[in-house]
Amino acid sequence: MQVKEQQKNWIGFVSNSLWYTYIHRFDVIKFLIEKGYNIFIVGPEDKQVEAFNHPNIRLILYSFNNKSLNPFESVRLYFELKKIYSELKPIYVFHYAIKANIFGSLAARSTSVPCISVINGTGHAFVKRNFLYQIAKKLYAFALKTPKEVWFLNNEDGSFFVKRKMVHIKKVHILHGEGINTAYY
């Protein structure tokens, strides 16, 4: 069913990998489309772009390097996501990966868009207790005030974030896996 432009109910997925979005979230995306929602996906162009060729999916290609320490790239990501959220007015956005979780959550806050952060590991910023760790910890603590919920894939990562005061325990939900389609893979 094609929904008229002015009646679209958008749900967003923001990640640093379209391939990862496809592998772990395509069944959820199909389910949401069947329920009448329209989906937008923000991420860099990679090998799975054609999988999202559907009239109810809007693919927004945006290249961001999750490992880059350039603050201007991060600020640009924030403003780009803010622009997207302002234009589409989504009813919900799911953020994956550190920069999407931080700058996507801040963009959601500034546009009053409800969001959920999904943290599937602590990432390279938390390997060493150095300057990058301190910055990432502060940014997460500030940004994770915005999401309605913060989903972790295991108790250890959830505890890590709670103990370091990066997220309030009431927001933490443990998924115990992301749900890969085992019938397909």
Side-chain angles (χ1 to χ4, degrees), residues 81-174:
L81 292 174
K82 184 177 175 178
K83 178 181 167 190
I84 292 166
Y85 299 169
S86 294
E87 175 190 328
L88 297 178
K89 297 175 181 34
I91 60 172
Y92 242 95
V93 177
F94 293 87
H95 298 119
Y96 303 88
I98 186 169
K99 287 190 181 179
N101 278 316
I102 291 170
F103 299 103
S105 294
L106 295 174
R109 179 186 304 169
S110 71
T111 55
S112 300
V113 169
C115 66
I116 290 177
S117 286
V118 182
I119 299 173
N120 57 2
T122 55
H124 76 280
F126 294 99
V127 173
K128 299 177 185 174
R129 302 292 192 263
N130 59 12
F131 183 68
L132 177 60
Y133 165 79
Q134 296 301 327
I135 290 173
K137 187 173 129 181
K138 288 181 189 320
L139 286 171
Y140 257 136
F142 183 65
L144 292 181
K145 292 177 184 176
T146 300
K148 302 277 185 201
E149 298 177 354
V150 180
W151 297 353
F152 293 91
L153 300 187
N154 59 62
N155 291 324
E156 294 78 19
D157 290 341
S159 295
F160 181 87
F161 273 69
V162 169
K163 286 178 186 174
R164 285 154 185 84
K165 300 183 182 343
M166 291 184 279
V167 66
H168 194 280
I169 194 164
K170 290 182 180 179
K171 290 187 176 199
V172 172
H173 294 271
I174 308 300

Side-chain angles (χ1 to χ4, degrees), residues 4 9-10 20 22-23 26 28 31 33 46-47 49-50 71 74 76-77 80 94 96 98 112 116 125 133 142 144 181:
K4 292 182 181 179
N9 289 318
W10 290 101
Y20 199 80
Y22 174 72
I23 295 277
F26 196 63
V28 171
F31 173 81
I33 290 170
D46 58 28
K47 62 184 175 184
V49 171
E50 285 139 30
S74 298
R76 193 179 82 219
L77 175 63
E80 185 65 28
F94 293 87
Y96 303 88
I98 186 169
S112 300
I116 290 177
Y133 165 79
F142 183 65
L144 292 181
N181 183 341

Side-chain angles (χ1 to χ4, degrees), residues 40-62:
F40 70 91
I41 302 167
V42 179
E45 186 171 5
D46 58 28
K47 62 184 175 184
Q48 293 298 341
V49 171
E50 285 139 30
F52 299 122
N53 186 15
H54 186 282
N56 295 81
I57 296 176
R58 180 170 173 187
L59 190 59
I60 303 168
L61 299 177
Y62 185 82

